[in-house]
Amino acid sequence: MQQGKTEGPLTDLAFSQLDLMPKVQAGVEHAGFTHCTPIQALTLPPALKGLDVAGQAQTGTGKTAAFLLVIFQRLLNDEDPGDGRQPRALVLAPTRELALQIYRDAELLGKETGLKLGLAYGGVDYEKQRAQLQEGVDILIGTPGRLIDYFKQHVYHLKRIRTVVLDEADRMFDLGFIKDIRYLLRRMPSADRRQGLMFSATLSYRVMELAYEHMNNPETLKVETESVTAENVHQSVYYPANREKLPLLINILRSVPEGRLMVFVNTRAAADRVGRTLGANETQAAVLSGRVPQKKRQSLLKKFHDGEIRVLVATDVAARGLHIPDVSHVINFDLPQDAADYVHRIGRTARLGARGEAISFACEDYAFHLPDIEAYIGYSIPLENVDPETLPEVIKPPRRPPKKPHAQRSRKHRSSGHRSGRGKGGPRNR
């Protein structure tokens, strides 16, 4: 395994030294990139030569740009591009948010290449996505379920794939997508006839088993760091009583005059409660959870990205795959139940060398997860004290009207005489 280490967010390797094609280099310059991050410096030289690569690095270190540049270079050099109707590169992502982010990065970096991009993920735009793929794409980006759906309908095929990328491979296992991944990989040209690129926060045994099974002798490249978490994140933990959590959160938010803040909770109900309470206390916040429809989710993320909303309350559906600049604070309103999720959450701040702050609440319900988190990251998180006397009074949000139970609604409907299968006073339909 080849390893690299650097003291800063960038290395001495300039993109201009990589012999990128002019159209690819133009995209790099358009994005404002000059020098490679550590994972880019490790993976780009062998990958641009056509070698398979399995790369490990912390989130927010530039992995997306690394594999996109390789794809652009390879496809532009393709001696047999075909008729332009079938994808020649496939990028697999575990979440809709990550797939969309990769697509946007590809639009930026590939602006001058002329390559056609396709996007396929669940929740929205089924027919629109289908029509886009039917028109023909060079690079197809998406989540496994929707990709397989279109594949089985013969909207596209995988016989011309030159490069396949598996992003956040460890997350694919966590979400149970590995059978779907194997299904797609087995329908592409064999590993010796295509290039495989895999990126993961951890190159665990199961991830490497997948790499060796479906890649051609991949080079294993790892960015070594002093700690599991990013060095530029200042971490702290409070021990509030449950009733003190909301006042403490509001107090912290009021003390941070600028920047974007992400507040993580463990359940959708908690996300809704925190979001509504913040709104009642003059703090506008967007709520992102699995309950939010995809179109609304994208709209909220855009407003947060553009700075129209300062605070994003989220469950772990947003813990990975989002690249939002200038997130100054991550607040774990609920400590995560999985230690690895703690690292993914606080990785939303201090991206690409910036500084950030991660504040955690070890409350009555979740404090017992703290020892596992500290064992995972390898050190104790500094303790901050809560002074109840300094906490503000919290205005409770108005109560929502209770929903009528389904049984009551059904009885009311039936009492109007419109019973299923028969009209008022009429015979039963058999």
Side-chain angles (χ1 to χ4, degrees):
M1 176 186 290
Q2 185 180 345
Q3 299 177 342
K5 186 176 177 181
T6 183
E7 296 300 325
L10 300 178
T11 67
D12 293 332
L13 180 63
F15 284 101
S16 58
Q17 299 174 251
L18 293 172
D19 196 27
L20 297 172
M21 297 180 68
K23 291 181 179 180
V24 181
Q25 181 65 33
V28 172
E29 293 172 359
H30 179 71
F33 299 160
T34 58
H35 288 74
C36 295
T37 64
I39 190 62
Q40 292 166 352
L42 273 180
T43 58
L44 278 171
L48 287 170
K49 294 178 182 177
L51 300 178
D52 285 16
V53 165
Q56 174 180 323
Q58 292 177 334
T59 185
T61 55
K63 292 179 286 184
T64 302
F67 64 71
L68 286 176
L69 296 179
V70 173
I71 290 174
F72 297 154
Q73 185 95 340
R74 186 176 180 90
L75 296 193
L76 291 176
N77 278 323
D78 193 353
E79 296 179 355
D80 181 20
D83 59 7
R85 298 194 60 82
Q86 296 301 329
R88 292 181 289 146
L90 181 69
V91 181
L92 295 162
T95 65
R96 294 174 287 193
E97 287 75 24
L98 180 55
L100 187 57
Q101 186 62 55
I102 294 169
Y103 182 84
R104 289 172 177 165
D105 289 346
E107 285 185 312
L108 175 65
L109 288 169
K111 188 175 182 180
E112 304 297 329
T113 64
L115 296 169
K116 293 180 290 184
L117 304 174
L119 182 62
Y121 61 91
V124 294
D125 300 332
Y126 188 89
E127 292 302 328
K128 182 179 178 181
Q129 290 178 12
R130 180 190 177 100
Q132 182 188 42
L133 299 190
Q134 287 175 327
E135 290 175 4
V137 298
D138 295 298
I139 303 168
L140 178 53
I141 302 162
T143 53
R146 180 61 63 90
L147 287 170
I148 291 177
D149 187 356
Y150 290 137
F151 178 83
K152 288 183 175 180
Q153 295 181 47
H154 306 290
V155 176
Y156 70 95
H157 65 67
L158 298 170
K159 297 175 183 178
R160 298 192 62 83
I161 294 297
R162 302 286 190 266
T163 302
V164 58
V165 177
L166 183 58
D167 198 15
E168 296 203 354
D170 52 348
R171 188 64 166 165
M172 295 288 193
F173 279 96
D174 295 341
L175 296 176
F177 288 144
I178 292 306
K179 285 186 178 180
D180 292 340
I181 297 300
R182 293 184 192 276
Y183 176 89
L184 292 168
L185 290 172
R186 287 168 179 159
R187 281 149 182 84
M188 299 177 194
S190 59
D192 60 343
R193 295 169 52 216
R194 57 170 164 80
Q195 183 180 26
L197 306 173
M198 176 185 288
F199 291 88
S200 181
T202 59
L203 292 179
S204 62
Y205 174 80
R206 60 183 184 175
V207 170
M208 290 311 302
E209 183 180 36
L210 183 70
Y212 289 128
E213 181 181 352
H214 293 284
M215 298 174 73
N216 185 26
N217 193 25
E219 288 210 25
T220 307
L221 306 172
K222 181 178 180 181
V223 175
E224 282 295 314
T225 57
E226 294 293 335
S227 62
V228 175
T229 56
E231 296 177 359
N232 292 334
V233 180
H234 176 265
Q235 300 172 64
S236 59
V237 61
Y238 290 85
Y239 282 85
N242 284 352
R243 67 179 182 278
E244 296 171 340
K245 290 176 69 177
L246 282 167
L248 178 58
L249 174 63
I250 292 171
N251 198 41
I252 291 172
L253 296 180
R254 289 175 179 174
S255 70
V256 180
E258 298 179 352
R260 298 181 181 88
L261 302 93
M262 294 188 72
V263 179
F264 280 102
V265 294
N266 287 349
T267 66
R268 293 182 299 185
D272 181 66
R273 179 169 58 90
V274 171
R276 292 176 63 236
T277 302
L278 292 181
N281 287 268
E282 301 181 346
T283 300
Q284 187 182 12
V287 176
L288 191 66
S289 71
R291 182 179 291 159
V292 179
Q294 185 64 23
K295 284 189 176 180
K296 184 177 180 182
R297 184 182 307 182
Q298 290 176 203
S299 174
L300 292 175
L301 284 173
K302 186 177 186 304
K303 290 181 179 179
F304 185 62
H305 186 282
D306 295 343
E308 296 179 31
I309 297 174
R310 280 188 68 225
V311 181
L312 179 66
V313 181
T315 58
D316 282 308
V317 70
R320 286 205 188 189
L322 300 181
H323 175 62
I324 300 173
D326 304 323
V327 174
S328 60
H329 291 67
V330 168
I331 301 173
N332 288 306
F333 185 83
D334 297 330
L335 274 180
Q337 295 165 293
D338 188 313
D341 285 338
Y342 175 83
V343 176
H344 299 317
R345 287 182 181 185
I346 71 172
R348 298 306 98 206
T349 188
R351 296 175 76 85
L352 292 176
R355 300 195 66 81
E357 187 161 351
I359 301 169
S360 298
F361 295 174
C363 65
E364 300 166 39
D365 293 331
Y366 297 109
F368 58 90
H369 295 298
L370 186 61
D372 289 340
I373 292 172
E374 292 181 330
Y376 185 80
I377 64 177
Y379 52 85
S380 297
I381 302 172
L383 172 66
E384 296 285 346
N385 293 317
V386 180
D387 183 357
E389 298 297 322
T390 64
L391 298 180
E393 290 289 330
V394 175
I395 300 172
K396 293 183 179 180
R399 287 181 175 271
R400 287 182 172 176
K403 293 183 179 180
K404 293 181 180 180
H406 179 72
Q408 288 185 13
R409 294 200 304 270
S410 299
R411 285 197 298 271
K412 182 179 179 180
H413 180 71
R414 289 197 299 268
S415 67
S416 66
H418 299 289
R419 298 190 183 185
S420 175
R422 53 177 170 169
K424 185 177 180 179
R428 184 186 299 274
N429 292 330
R430 296 186 183 275

